[in-house]
Coordinates of all heavy atoms in Angstrom, one line a residue:
M901 N 58.0 80.7 -0.1 CA 56.7 80.4 0.5 C 56.6 78.9 0.6 O 56.9 78.2 -0.3 CB 55.6 81.1 -0.3 CG 54.3 80.5 -0.1 SD 52.9 81.3 -1.0 CE 53.4 81.1 -2.7
S902 N 56.0 78.5 1.7 CA 55.8 77.1 1.9 C 54.4 76.8 2.5 O 54.0 77.4 3.5 CB 56.8 76.6 2.9 OG 56.7 75.2 3.1
M903 N 53.7 76.0 1.8 CA 52.3 75.6 2.3 C 52.5 74.2 2.9 O 53.2 73.4 2.4 CB 51.3 75.5 1.1 CG 51.1 76.9 0.4 SD 50.7 78.3 1.5 CE 49.0 77.8 1.9
K904 N 51.8 74.1 4.0 CA 51.8 72.8 4.7 C 50.4 72.2 4.7 O 49.4 73.0 4.9 CB 52.3 72.9 6.2 CG 53.7 73.6 6.3 CD 54.7 72.6 5.8 CE 56.1 73.3 6.0 NZ 57.1 72.6 5.3
Y905 N 50.3 71.0 4.4 CA 49.0 70.4 4.3 C 48.6 69.4 5.4 O 47.8 68.5 5.2 CB 48.9 69.7 2.9 CG 49.0 70.7 1.8 CD1 50.2 70.8 1.1 CD2 48.0 71.5 1.4 CE1 50.4 71.7 0.1 CE2 48.1 72.4 0.4 CZ 49.3 72.5 -0.3 OH 49.5 73.5 -1.3
Y906 N 49.3 69.4 6.5 CA 49.1 68.5 7.6 C 47.6 68.6 8.1 O 47.0 67.7 8.5 CB 50.1 68.7 8.7 CG 49.9 70.0 9.5 CD1 49.0 70.1 10.6 CD2 50.6 71.2 9.1 CE1 48.9 71.4 11.2 CE2 50.4 72.4 9.7 CZ 49.6 72.5 10.8 OH 49.4 73.7 11.4
K907 N 47.1 69.8 7.9 CA 45.7 70.0 8.4 C 44.7 69.1 7.5 O 43.7 68.6 8.0 CB 45.3 71.5 8.3 CG 45.9 72.4 9.3 CD 45.3 73.8 9.1 CE 45.7 74.7 10.2 NZ 45.1 76.0 10.1
L908 N 45.0 69.0 6.3 CA 44.2 68.1 5.4 C 44.3 66.7 5.9 O 43.2 66.1 6.0 CB 44.7 68.2 3.9 CG 44.2 67.1 3.0 CD1 42.7 67.2 2.9 CD2 44.9 67.2 1.6
F909 N 45.5 66.2 6.2 CA 45.6 64.8 6.6 C 45.0 64.6 8.0 O 44.4 63.6 8.3 CB 47.1 64.4 6.5 CG 47.7 64.7 5.2 CD1 48.8 65.5 5.0 CD2 47.0 64.2 4.0 CE1 49.3 65.7 3.7 CE2 47.5 64.4 2.8 CZ 48.7 65.2 2.6
D910 N 45.1 65.6 8.9 CA 44.4 65.5 10.2 C 42.9 65.5 10.0 O 42.2 64.7 10.6 CB 44.8 66.7 11.0 CG 46.2 66.7 11.6 OD1 46.8 65.6 11.5 OD2 46.7 67.7 12.0
L911 N 42.4 66.3 9.1 CA 40.9 66.4 8.8 C 40.4 65.0 8.3 O 39.4 64.5 8.7 CB 40.6 67.5 7.8 CG 39.1 67.7 7.5 CD1 38.2 67.9 8.7 CD2 39.0 68.8 6.4
L912 N 41.2 64.5 7.3 CA 40.8 63.2 6.8 C 40.8 62.1 7.9 O 39.8 61.3 8.0 CB 41.9 62.7 5.7 CG 41.8 63.5 4.4 CD1 43.0 63.1 3.6 CD2 40.5 63.2 3.7
A913 N 41.7 62.1 8.8 CA 41.8 61.1 9.9 C 40.6 61.3 10.8 O 39.9 60.3 11.2 CB 43.1 61.3 10.7
R914 N 40.2 62.6 11.1 CA 39.0 62.8 12.0 C 37.7 62.4 11.3 O 36.8 62.0 12.0 CB 38.9 64.3 12.3 CG 40.0 64.8 13.3 CD 39.7 66.2 13.9 NE 39.3 67.2 12.9 CZ 40.2 68.0 12.3 NH1 41.5 67.9 12.6 NH2 39.8 68.9 11.5
K915 N 37.7 62.4 10.0 CA 36.5 61.9 9.2 C 36.6 60.4 9.0 O 35.7 59.9 8.3 CB 36.4 62.7 7.9 CG 36.0 64.1 8.1 CD 35.9 64.8 6.7 CE 35.4 66.2 6.9 NZ 34.0 66.4 6.9
G916 N 37.6 59.7 9.5 CA 37.8 58.3 9.3 C 38.2 57.9 7.9 O 37.9 56.8 7.4
M917 N 38.9 58.9 7.2 CA 39.3 58.6 5.8 C 40.8 58.5 5.8 O 41.5 58.9 6.7 CB 38.8 59.8 5.0 CG 37.4 60.0 4.9 SD 36.9 61.5 4.0 CE 37.4 61.1 2.3
K918 N 41.3 58.0 4.7 CA 42.7 58.0 4.4 C 43.1 58.8 3.2 O 42.2 59.2 2.4 CB 43.1 56.5 4.1 CG 42.9 55.6 5.2 CD 43.3 54.2 4.8 CE 43.0 53.2 6.0 NZ 43.3 51.9 5.7
K919 N 44.3 59.2 3.0 CA 44.8 59.9 1.9 C 44.3 59.3 0.6 O 43.8 60.0 -0.3 CB 46.3 60.0 1.8 CG 47.0 60.8 2.9 CD 48.5 60.8 2.7 CE 49.2 61.3 3.8 NZ 50.7 61.3 3.6
T920 N 44.4 58.0 0.5 CA 44.0 57.3 -0.7 C 42.5 57.4 -1.1 O 42.1 57.2 -2.2 CB 44.4 55.8 -0.7 OG1 43.9 55.2 0.5 CG2 45.9 55.7 -0.7
D921 N 41.7 57.7 -0.1 CA 40.3 57.9 -0.3 C 40.1 59.1 -1.3 O 39.1 59.1 -2.1 CB 39.5 58.2 1.0 CG 39.4 56.9 1.8 OD1 39.5 55.8 1.3 OD2 39.3 57.1 3.1
L922 N 41.0 60.1 -1.3 CA 40.9 61.2 -2.2 C 41.1 60.7 -3.6 O 40.5 61.2 -4.6 CB 41.9 62.3 -1.9 CG 41.7 63.0 -0.5 CD1 42.9 63.9 -0.2 CD2 40.4 63.7 -0.4
L923 N 41.9 59.7 -3.8 CA 42.1 59.1 -5.1 C 40.9 58.2 -5.5 O 40.4 58.4 -6.7 CB 43.4 58.2 -5.1 CG 44.7 58.8 -4.8 CD1 45.8 57.8 -4.7 CD2 45.1 59.9 -5.8
Y924 N 40.5 57.3 -4.7 CA 39.4 56.4 -5.0 C 38.1 57.2 -5.3 O 37.3 56.7 -6.2 CB 39.2 55.4 -3.9 CG 40.4 54.6 -3.5 CD1 40.7 54.3 -2.2 CD2 41.2 54.1 -4.6 CE1 41.8 53.5 -1.9 CE2 42.3 53.3 -4.3 CZ 42.6 53.0 -3.0 OH 43.7 52.2 -2.6
N925 N 37.9 58.3 -4.7 CA 36.7 59.1 -4.9 C 36.9 60.1 -6.1 O 36.1 61.0 -6.3 CB 36.3 59.8 -3.7 CG 35.8 58.8 -2.6 OD1 35.0 57.9 -2.9 ND2 36.2 59.0 -1.4
K926 N 38.1 60.0 -6.7 CA 38.4 60.8 -7.9 C 38.4 62.3 -7.6 O 38.0 63.1 -8.4 CB 37.5 60.5 -9.1 CG 37.7 59.0 -9.5 CD 37.0 58.7 -10.7 CE 37.1 57.2 -10.9 NZ 37.2 56.7 -12.1
I927 N 38.8 62.7 -6.4 CA 38.9 64.1 -6.0 C 40.2 64.7 -6.5 O 40.2 65.8 -6.9 CB 38.7 64.2 -4.4 CG1 37.4 63.6 -4.0 CG2 38.9 65.6 -4.0 CD1 37.2 63.4 -2.5
I928 N 41.2 63.9 -6.4 CA 42.6 64.3 -6.8 C 43.2 63.2 -7.5 O 42.8 62.0 -7.4 CB 43.5 64.9 -5.7 CG1 43.7 63.8 -4.6 CG2 42.9 66.1 -5.1 CD1 44.7 64.2 -3.6
S929 N 44.3 63.4 -8.2 CA 45.1 62.4 -8.9 C 46.3 61.9 -8.0 O 46.6 62.6 -7.0 CB 45.7 62.9 -10.2 OG 46.6 64.0 -10.0
S930 N 46.9 60.9 -8.4 CA 48.0 60.3 -7.7 C 49.2 61.3 -7.6 O 49.8 61.5 -6.6 CB 48.4 59.0 -8.3 OG 49.5 58.4 -7.5
P931 N 49.6 61.9 -8.8 CA 50.6 62.9 -8.7 C 50.3 64.1 -7.8 O 51.2 64.6 -7.1 CB 50.8 63.4 -10.1 CG 50.3 62.3 -11.0 CD 49.2 61.7 -10.2
T932 N 49.0 64.5 -7.7 CA 48.6 65.6 -6.8 C 48.7 65.2 -5.4 O 49.2 66.0 -4.5 CB 47.2 66.1 -7.2 OG1 47.2 66.5 -8.5 CG2 46.7 67.2 -6.3
L933 N 48.3 64.0 -5.1 CA 48.5 63.5 -3.7 C 49.9 63.5 -3.3 O 50.3 63.9 -2.2 CB 47.9 62.1 -3.6 CG 48.0 61.4 -2.2 CD1 47.4 62.3 -1.1 CD2 47.4 60.0 -2.2
A934 N 50.8 63.1 -4.2 CA 52.3 63.1 -3.9 C 52.7 64.5 -3.6 O 53.5 64.8 -2.7 CB 53.0 62.5 -5.1
K935 N 52.2 65.5 -4.4 CA 52.6 66.9 -4.2 C 52.1 67.4 -2.8 O 52.9 68.1 -2.1 CB 52.0 67.8 -5.3 CG 52.7 67.7 -6.6 CD 52.0 68.7 -7.6 CE 52.7 68.7 -8.9 NZ 52.2 69.7 -9.8
L936 N 50.9 67.0 -2.5 CA 50.4 67.4 -1.2 C 51.2 66.8 0.0 O 51.5 67.5 1.0 CB 48.9 67.0 -1.0 CG 47.9 67.8 -1.9 CD1 46.6 67.1 -1.9 CD2 47.8 69.2 -1.4
S937 N 51.6 65.6 -0.2 CA 52.3 64.9 0.8 C 53.7 65.5 1.0 O 54.3 65.5 2.1 CB 52.5 63.4 0.5 OG 51.2 62.8 0.5
K938 N 54.3 66.1 -0.1 CA 55.6 66.7 0.0 C 55.5 68.2 0.3 O 56.5 68.9 0.3 CB 56.3 66.5 -1.3 CG 56.6 65.1 -1.7 CD 57.2 65.0 -3.0 CE 57.4 63.5 -3.5 NZ 57.9 63.5 -4.9
G939 N 54.3 68.8 0.4 CA 54.1 70.2 0.6 C 54.4 71.0 -0.6 O 54.8 72.2 -0.5
E940 N 54.3 70.4 -1.8 CA 54.6 71.2 -3.0 C 53.3 71.9 -3.5 O 52.2 71.8 -2.9 CB 55.0 70.2 -4.1 CG 56.3 69.5 -3.8 CD 56.8 68.5 -4.8 OE1 56.0 68.3 -5.8 OE2 57.9 68.0 -4.6
T941 N 53.5 72.8 -4.5 CA 52.4 73.6 -5.0 C 51.4 72.8 -5.7 O 51.7 71.9 -6.5 CB 53.0 74.7 -5.9 OG1 54.0 75.4 -5.2 CG2 52.0 75.6 -6.5
V942 N 50.1 73.1 -5.4 CA 49.0 72.6 -6.2 C 48.1 73.7 -6.6 O 48.2 74.8 -6.1 CB 48.2 71.6 -5.3 CG1 49.0 70.3 -5.0 CG2 47.6 72.2 -4.1
T943 N 47.2 73.5 -7.6 CA 46.4 74.6 -8.1 C 45.2 74.9 -7.2 O 44.9 74.1 -6.3 CB 45.8 74.2 -9.5 OG1 44.9 73.1 -9.3 CG2 46.9 73.8 -10.5
T944 N 44.7 76.1 -7.4 CA 43.5 76.4 -6.6 C 42.3 75.5 -7.0 O 41.4 75.3 -6.1 CB 43.1 77.9 -6.8 OG1 43.0 78.2 -8.2 CG2 44.1 78.8 -6.2
E945 N 42.3 75.0 -8.2 CA 41.2 74.1 -8.6 C 41.3 72.8 -7.7 O 40.3 72.3 -7.3 CB 41.4 73.7 -10.1 CG 40.3 72.8 -10.5 CD 40.4 72.4 -12.0 OE1 41.3 72.9 -12.7 OE2 39.5 71.7 -12.5
V946 N 42.5 72.3 -7.5 CA 42.7 71.1 -6.6 C 42.2 71.4 -5.2 O 41.4 70.7 -4.6 CB 44.2 70.7 -6.6 CG1 44.4 69.7 -5.4 CG2 44.6 70.1 -7.9
L947 N 42.6 72.6 -4.7 CA 42.1 73.0 -3.3 C 40.6 73.1 -3.3 O 40.0 72.7 -2.3 CB 42.8 74.3 -2.9 CG 44.3 74.2 -2.8 CD1 44.9 75.6 -2.6 CD2 44.8 73.2 -1.8
S948 N 40.0 73.7 -4.3 CA 38.6 73.8 -4.4 C 37.9 72.5 -4.4 O 36.9 72.3 -3.7 CB 38.2 74.6 -5.6 OG 38.6 75.9 -5.6
N949 N 38.4 71.5 -5.2 CA 37.9 70.2 -5.3 C 37.9 69.5 -3.9 O 36.9 68.8 -3.5 CB 38.6 69.3 -6.3 CG 38.3 69.8 -7.7 OD1 37.4 70.5 -8.0 ND2 39.2 69.3 -8.6
I950 N 39.0 69.6 -3.2 CA 39.1 69.0 -1.9 C 38.1 69.7 -0.9 O 37.4 69.0 -0.2 CB 40.6 69.2 -1.3 CG1 41.5 68.3 -2.2 CG2 40.7 68.7 0.1 CD1 43.0 68.6 -1.9
C951 N 38.1 71.0 -0.9 CA 37.2 71.7 0.0 C 35.7 71.3 -0.3 O 34.9 71.1 0.7 CB 37.4 73.2 -0.1 SG 38.9 73.8 0.6
E952 N 35.4 71.2 -1.5 CA 34.0 70.8 -1.9 C 33.7 69.4 -1.4 O 32.6 69.1 -0.8 CB 33.8 70.9 -3.4 CG 32.4 70.6 -3.8 CD 32.1 70.8 -5.3 OE1 32.9 71.5 -5.9 OE2 31.2 70.2 -5.8
A953 N 34.6 68.5 -1.6 CA 34.4 67.1 -1.2 C 34.3 66.9 0.3 O 33.6 66.1 0.8 CB 35.5 66.2 -1.8
L954 N 35.1 67.7 1.0 CA 35.2 67.6 2.5 C 34.3 68.6 3.2 O 34.3 68.6 4.4 CB 36.7 67.7 2.9 CG 37.6 66.6 2.4 CD1 39.0 66.9 2.9 CD2 37.1 65.2 2.8
N955 N 33.7 69.5 2.4 CA 32.8 70.5 3.0 C 33.6 71.3 4.1 O 33.2 71.4 5.2 CB 31.6 69.9 3.7 CG 30.5 70.9 4.0 OD1 30.5 72.0 3.4 ND2 29.7 70.7 5.1
C956 N 34.7 71.9 3.6 CA 35.5 72.7 4.4 C 36.1 74.0 3.7 O 35.8 74.1 2.5 CB 36.7 71.9 5.0 SG 37.8 71.3 3.7
Q957 N 36.8 74.8 4.4 CA 37.5 76.0 3.9 C 39.0 75.7 3.6 O 39.5 74.8 4.3 CB 37.3 77.1 4.8 CG 35.8 77.6 5.0 CD 35.3 78.2 3.7 OE1 36.0 79.0 3.0 NE2 34.1 77.8 3.3
P958 N 39.6 76.5 2.8 CA 41.1 76.2 2.5 C 41.9 76.3 3.8 O 42.8 75.5 3.9 CB 41.4 77.4 1.6 CG 40.2 77.7 0.8 CD 39.1 77.5 1.8
G959 N 41.6 77.2 4.7 CA 42.3 77.2 6.0 C 42.2 76.0 6.8 O 43.0 75.7 7.7
D960 N 41.2 75.2 6.5 CA 41.0 73.9 7.2 C 41.9 72.8 6.8 O 42.1 71.8 7.4 CB 39.5 73.4 7.1 CG 38.5 74.3 7.7 OD1 38.8 75.0 8.6 OD2 37.4 74.3 7.2
I961 N 42.5 73.0 5.6 CA 43.3 72.0 5.0 C 44.8 72.4 4.7 O 45.6 71.5 4.4 CB 42.7 71.4 3.6 CG1 42.7 72.5 2.6 CG2 41.4 70.8 3.9 CD1 42.3 72.1 1.2
M962 N 45.1 73.6 4.9 CA 46.5 74.0 4.7 C 46.9 75.2 5.6 O 46.0 75.9 6.1 CB 46.7 74.4 3.2 CG 45.9 75.6 2.8 SD 46.1 75.8 1.0 CE 45.5 77.5 0.8
E963 N 48.2 75.4 5.7 CA 48.7 76.5 6.5 C 49.9 77.1 5.7 O 50.8 76.3 5.2 CB 49.1 76.0 7.8 CG 49.7 77.1 8.7 CD 50.2 76.6 10.1 OE1 50.2 75.4 10.3 OE2 50.5 77.4 10.9
Y964 N 50.0 78.4 5.7 CA 51.2 79.1 5.1 C 52.3 79.2 6.2 O 52.0 79.6 7.3 CB 50.8 80.5 4.7 CG 52.1 81.3 4.4 CD1 52.8 81.1 3.2 CD2 52.5 82.3 5.2 CE1 54.0 81.8 3.0 CE2 53.6 83.1 5.0 CZ 54.3 82.8 3.8 OH 55.5 83.5 3.6
V965 N 53.4 78.7 5.9 CA 54.6 78.8 6.8 C 55.7 79.5 6.1 O 56.2 79.1 5.1 CB 55.1 77.4 7.3 CG1 56.2 77.5 8.2 CG2 53.9 76.6 7.9
P966 N 56.0 80.7 6.6 CA 57.1 81.5 5.9 C 58.4 80.8 6.0 O 58.7 80.1 6.9 CB 57.2 82.8 6.7 CG 56.2 82.7 7.8 CD 55.5 81.4 7.8
N967 N 59.2 81.0 4.9 CA 60.6 80.4 4.9 C 61.4 81.1 5.9 O 61.3 82.3 6.1 CB 61.2 80.6 3.5 CG 60.5 79.8 2.4 OD1 59.9 78.7 2.7 ND2 60.5 80.2 1.2
Q968 N 62.3 80.4 6.6 CA 63.1 81.0 7.6 C 64.1 82.0 7.0 O 64.4 83.0 7.7 CB 63.9 79.9 8.3 CG 63.1 78.9 9.0 CD 62.3 79.5 10.2 OE1 62.8 80.5 10.8 NE2 61.2 78.9 10.5
S969 N 64.5 81.8 5.8 CA 65.5 82.7 5.2 C 64.9 83.9 4.5 O 65.6 84.8 4.2 CB 66.4 81.9 4.2 OG 65.6 81.4 3.2
A970 N 63.6 83.9 4.3 CA 62.9 85.0 3.7 C 62.7 86.2 4.6 O 62.6 86.0 5.8 CB 61.5 84.5 3.2
P971 N 62.7 87.4 4.0 CA 62.5 88.5 4.9 C 61.1 88.5 5.4 O 60.2 87.8 4.8 CB 62.7 89.7 3.9 CG 62.5 89.2 2.5 CD 62.9 87.7 2.6
N972 N 60.8 89.2 6.5 CA 59.5 89.2 7.2 C 58.4 89.7 6.3 O 57.3 89.4 6.4 CB 59.5 89.9 8.5 CG 60.4 89.2 9.5 OD1 60.6 88.0 9.4 ND2 60.8 89.9 10.5
S973 N 58.8 90.6 5.4 CA 57.8 91.2 4.5 C 58.4 91.7 3.2 O 59.6 92.1 3.2 CB 57.1 92.4 5.3 OG 56.3 93.1 4.4
L974 N 57.7 91.7 2.2 CA 58.2 92.3 0.9 C 58.2 93.8 1.0 O 58.9 94.5 0.3 CB 57.3 91.8 -0.2 CG 57.4 90.3 -0.6 CD1 56.4 90.0 -1.7 CD2 58.8 89.9 -0.9
I975 N 57.4 94.4 1.9 CA 57.3 95.8 2.0 C 58.2 96.2 3.1 O 58.1 95.8 4.3 CB 55.8 96.2 2.4 CG1 54.9 95.8 1.3 CG2 55.8 97.7 2.6 CD1 53.4 96.0 1.6
S976 N 59.2 97.0 2.8 CA 60.2 97.5 3.7 C 59.6 98.5 4.7 O 58.6 99.2 4.4 CB 61.4 98.1 3.0 OG 61.0 99.3 2.5
Q977 N 60.2 98.6 5.9 CA 59.7 99.6 6.8 C 59.9 101.0 6.3 O 59.0 101.9 6.5 CB 60.5 99.5 8.2 CG 60.0 100.3 9.3 CD 58.5 100.0 9.6 OE1 58.2 98.9 9.8 NE2 57.7 101.1 9.8
H978 N 60.9 101.2 5.5 CA 61.1 102.5 4.9 C 59.9 102.9 4.0 O 59.4 104.0 4.0 CB 62.4 102.5 4.0 CG 62.6 103.8 3.2 ND1 62.9 105.0 3.8 CD2 62.4 104.0 1.9 CE1 63.0 105.9 2.8 NE2 62.7 105.3 1.7
H979 N 59.5 101.9 3.2 CA 58.3 102.1 2.3 C 57.1 102.5 3.1 O 56.3 103.4 2.8 CB 58.1 100.9 1.4 CG 57.0 101.0 0.5 ND1 57.1 101.8 -0.7 CD2 55.7 100.5 0.5 CE1 56.0 101.7 -1.4 NE2 55.1 101.0 -0.7
I980 N 56.8 101.8 4.2 CA 55.7 102.0 5.1 C 55.8 103.4 5.7 O 54.8 104.2 5.7 CB 55.6 101.0 6.2 CG1 55.2 99.6 5.5 CG2 54.5 101.3 7.2 CD1 55.3 98.4 6.5
D981 N 57.0 103.8 6.2 CA 57.2 105.1 6.8 C 56.9 106.2 5.7 O 56.3 107.2 6.1 CB 58.6 105.2 7.3 CG 58.8 104.3 8.6 OD1 57.8 103.9 9.2 OD2 60.0 104.1 8.9
E982 N 57.4 106.0 4.5 CA 57.2 107.0 3.5 C 55.7 107.2 3.1 O 55.3 108.3 3.0 CB 58.0 106.6 2.2 CG 57.9 107.6 1.1 CD 58.6 108.9 1.4 OE1 59.4 109.0 2.3 OE2 58.2 109.9 0.7
K983 N 55.0 106.1 3.0 CA 53.6 106.2 2.8 C 52.8 106.9 3.9 O 51.9 107.7 3.6 CB 53.0 104.8 2.6 CG 53.4 104.1 1.3 CD 52.7 104.8 0.1 CE 53.0 104.0 -1.2 NZ 52.5 104.7 -2.3
N984 N 53.2 106.6 5.1 CA 52.6 107.2 6.3 C 52.9 108.7 6.3 O 52.0 109.6 6.6 CB 53.0 106.6 7.6 CG 52.4 105.3 7.9 OD1 51.3 105.0 7.3 ND2 53.0 104.4 8.6
R985 N 54.1 109.1 5.9 CA 54.5 110.5 5.9 C 53.7 111.2 4.8 O 53.1 112.3 5.1 CB 56.0 110.6 5.6 CG 56.5 112.1 5.6 CD 57.9 112.2 5.0 NE 58.0 111.9 3.6 CZ 57.6 112.7 2.6 NH1 56.9 113.8 2.9 NH2 57.7 112.3 1.4
M986 N 53.5 110.6 3.7 CA 52.7 111.2 2.6 C 51.3 111.4 3.0 O 50.6 112.4 2.7 CB 52.9 110.4 1.3 CG 54.3 110.5 0.7 SD 54.5 109.4 -0.7 CE 53.3 110.0 -1.9
L987 N 50.7 110.4 3.6 CA 49.3 110.4 4.1 C 49.1 111.5 5.1 O 48.2 112.3 5.0 CB 48.9 109.1 4.7 CG 47.5 108.9 5.2 CD1 46.5 109.2 4.0 CD2 47.3 107.6 5.8
N988 N 50.1 111.6 6.1 CA 50.0 112.6 7.1 C 50.1 114.0 6.5 O 49.4 115.0 6.8 CB 51.0 112.5 8.2 CG 50.8 111.3 9.0 OD1 49.6 110.8 9.2 ND2 51.8 110.7 9.7
Q989 N 51.0 114.2 5.5 CA 51.2 115.5 4.8 C 49.9 115.8 4.1 O 49.4 117.0 4.2 CB 52.3 115.4 3.9 CG 52.6 116.7 3.2 CD 53.8 116.6 2.2 OE1 54.2 115.5 1.8 NE2 54.4 117.7 1.9
H990 N 49.3 114.9 3.4 CA 48.1 115.2 2.7 C 46.9 115.5 3.6 O 46.1 116.5 3.4 CB 47.7 113.9 1.8 CG 46.4 114.1 1.1 ND1 46.3 114.9 0.0 CD2 45.2 113.6 1.3 CE1 45.0 114.9 -0.4 NE2 44.3 114.0 0.3
T991 N 46.8 114.9 4.8 CA 45.8 115.1 5.8 C 46.0 116.5 6.4 O 45.0 117.2 6.6 CB 45.8 114.1 6.9 OG1 45.7 112.8 6.3 CG2 44.7 114.3 7.9
E992 N 47.2 116.9 6.6 CA 47.5 118.2 7.2 C 47.1 119.4 6.2 O 46.7 120.5 6.6 CB 48.9 118.3 7.6 CG 49.2 117.5 8.8 CD 50.7 117.4 9.1 OE1 51.5 118.0 8.4 OE2 51.1 116.7 10.1
E993 N 47.3 119.1 4.9 CA 47.0 120.1 3.9 C 45.5 120.4 3.8 O 45.1 121.5 3.3 CB 47.6 119.7 2.6 CG 49.1 119.7 2.5 CD 49.6 119.2 1.2 OE1 48.8 118.7 0.4 OE2 50.9 119.2 1.1
Q994 N 44.7 119.5 4.2 CA 43.2 119.7 4.1 C 42.7 120.3 5.2 O 42.5 120.9 6.0 CB 42.5 118.3 3.9 CG 42.9 117.7 2.6 CD 42.1 116.4 2.4 OE1 41.5 115.8 3.3 NE2 42.3 115.8 1.2

């Protein structure tokens, strides 16, 4: 899984702010800013602090981008088909 934070940096620019303003206003720490810049994992507390400070929602500051090598879904089509079959069977019995 890969989170991208380019939306955060775009939002900051639109507000006339810089990444370092997050540090100066004590919203995040320097190591956290480095993590965001590299697209690394940060806590939900960090995301909450940013959203509160910028008056925005998490989707305004980040985007999930699936890994290219990862399967499209953890749930296989076989599993979905089996659940649908069981549901249909249960519905027909009633």
Side-chain angles (χ1 to χ4, degrees):
M901 158 174 64
S902 181
M903 299 305 288
K904 303 293 181 190
Y905 299 102
Y906 68 89
K907 289 183 169 187
L908 168 61
F909 305 125
D910 289 345
L911 180 60
L912 290 172
R914 287 194 311 271
K915 290 182 176 272
M917 299 173 68
K918 298 179 182 177
K919 294 179 189 182
T920 52
D921 290 333
L922 296 173
L923 299 175
Y924 299 140
N925 293 314
K926 300 185 186 213
I927 299 165
I928 61 173
S929 67
S930 183
T932 299
L933 178 57
K935 286 182 177 184
L936 289 167
S937 296
K938 295 176 187 175
E940 295 178 358
T941 302
V942 295
T943 66
T944 53
E945 182 179 2
V946 166
L947 298 173
S948 293
N949 290 343
I950 293 170
C951 288
E952 184 175 338
L954 299 178
N955 191 29
C956 66
Q957 293 294 314
D960 298 330
I961 62 172
M962 64 185 195
E963 178 183 13
Y964 168 74
V965 179
N967 293 334
Q968 296 296 333
S969 61
N972 290 338
S973 174
L974 294 176
I975 301 173
S976 70
Q977 187 60 46
H978 172 74
H979 182 75
I980 293 169
D981 291 343
E982 182 64 20
K983 289 290 184 183
N984 285 335
R985 185 190 64 72
M986 291 173 61
L987 181 62
N988 289 337
Q989 183 180 20
H990 178 73
T991 304
E992 291 170 0
E993 290 174 356
Q994 291 182 350

